[in-house]
Each structure stands twice: as C-alpha cells, then as structure tokens.
C-alpha cells in the first residue's frame, strides 16, 4: 500500500503518530532536546488530550521564530500547524502535510537527491537514499499503528528515534562541511 493510501485509511491515533513521528525525526533541525516531544507520544499511548503538551513543545522549540534555513522552516511549520484537537478530521491534513514536509527536509539535506526525489512509493528506485529511508519509516509507522493499534506506538517511536539519529548525523556533517568551506574561503 502506498503512503498516500496509508494516510487515507489511518485512524486518529495513527494520523497523530504519523505526523508526530515526522516532526520528531526532523527535531535535530530545531536544536531541541530529544525528549521534548515525548509527552506528546505519551498522550497517544494513554489517550489523553495533547493540547497542553503541544503548547509546551512549541514554547520549548521556539515555534514562530524565524528559521535558519528552508529545511528548518519546514520543521517549524510542522510544529506550528499541529492541531490542538486530536480528531481524524483535524489530523489527516496535518499528517499529510508533515509527510510532505519531512520528505522535503530529507530531500534538501540529501546531497544525492534530485528533483525527482519525492516519490509516492518507498520502493521507487528514483528516490535518493535519505528520502527513500524516510518514505519507508513513514510507511512503517502507519502500518504499525494499523496492525497493532496502541501497542504499535513503542515500535513506531523506536523507528522514529532511529530516523532522528540518521538526520542528526546528516545535519552534523552538513554543519562541518559548511564550517570547512567557510574556513577555506577565509584563507
């Protein structure tokens, strides 16, 4: 099943987890603590509301502040646009937008990515490695929730943490390359 179909069929919890997972994997671009979104994950597990935790995360991550670059701006938009009301109708467009934004972030950060990097199917050979991995993670999170309900949240979080580590390494490498280029230019 394609990512588009998975989002279309997802229930409220899967949509919230899908959007939250995209945001969480992109967290290194906001410089936030890895645990800042954990209370939102906990609210999905226990079924409680997440509006208060969402406000707290926005405050901690500086939502609304100008972002440093296009990729960080996409992540800020994901956070800013998260609905306080956790219903399928409110979450579906957000989860879809988060999917696209996260793929855009990965495309922007992947030096191997070209204009055709955003594909609707994770199996598409035309996607760059970083984008293809993000597509697989997004599909896996939605499949875990569809197949296992609330019990799939732990594994979905594990998949998300793995993706965040990968993106953190990419961001770190990008910062080193920028610093080295700046040092060479200053010679």
């Amino acid at each position: 099943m394609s990512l588009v179909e998975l989002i279309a069929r997802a229930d409220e919890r899967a949509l919230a987890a899908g959007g939250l997972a995209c945001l969480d994997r992109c967290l290194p671009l906001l410089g936030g603590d890895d645990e800042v979104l954990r209370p939102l994950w906990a609210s999905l597990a226990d079924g409680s509301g997440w509006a208060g935790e969402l406000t707290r995360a926005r405050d901690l991550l500086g939502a609304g502040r100008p972002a440093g670059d296009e990729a960080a701006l996409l992540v800020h938009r994901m956070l800013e646009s998260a609905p306080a009301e956790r219903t399928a109708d409110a979450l579906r467009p957000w989860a879809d937008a988060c999917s696209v934004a996260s793929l855009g972030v990965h495309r922007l950060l992947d030096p191997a990515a070209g204009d055709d990097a955003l594909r609707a199917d994770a199996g598409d050979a035309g996607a760059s490695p970083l984008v293809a991995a993000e597509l697989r993670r997004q599909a896996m999170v939605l499949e875990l929730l569809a197949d296992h309900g609330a019990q799939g949240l732990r594994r979905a979080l594990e998949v998300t943490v793995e993706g965040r580590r990968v993106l953190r390494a990419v961001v770190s490498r990008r910062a080193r390359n920028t610093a080295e280029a700046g040092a060479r230019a200053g010679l």
Side-chain angles (χ1 to χ4, degrees), residues 1-145:
M1 195 177 311
S2 76
L3 187 56
V4 172
E5 292 170 320
L6 288 168
I7 291 171
R9 294 181 180 191
D11 66 7
E12 169 265 321
R13 182 176 281 141
L15 291 167
L20 182 57
C22 288
L23 176 61
D24 202 340
R25 283 189 298 275
C26 295
L27 199 59
L29 288 164
L30 299 184
D33 181 279
D34 286 353
E35 300 297 313
V36 73
L37 299 178
R38 190 62 67 123
L40 292 167
W41 284 100
S43 74
L44 292 180
D46 66 20
S48 63
W50 75 352
E53 295 302 338
L54 184 58
T55 299
R56 182 181 153 276
R58 286 178 177 144
D59 290 344
L60 291 172
L61 294 171
R65 279 196 258 155
D69 61 18
E70 186 178 353
L73 182 59
L74 287 171
V75 182
H76 272 290
R77 286 183 186 153
M78 278 192 261
L79 179 59
E80 291 169 5
S81 64
E85 182 182 350
R86 217 174 65 202
T87 64
D89 287 341
L91 290 165
R92 195 170 316 281
W94 178 67
D96 186 52
C98 285
S99 172
V100 171
S102 182
L103 291 169
V105 165
H106 285 75
R107 182 184 51 79
L108 288 167
L109 296 176
D110 191 342
D115 292 337
D116 295 334
L118 299 180
R119 304 289 185 154
D121 183 9
D124 195 322
S128 69
L130 193 63
V131 172
E134 174 59 10
L135 279 165
R136 283 190 300 274
R137 285 184 189 97
Q138 287 187 25
M140 187 179 296
V141 165
L142 293 170
E143 289 166 351
L144 284 165
L145 273 288

Side-chain angles (χ1 to χ4, degrees), residues 145-161:
L145 273 288
D147 294 345
H148 304 289
Q151 288 74 33
L153 282 170
R154 180 179 301 275
R155 179 68 182 119
L157 183 57
E158 290 170 2
V159 168
T160 298
V161 168

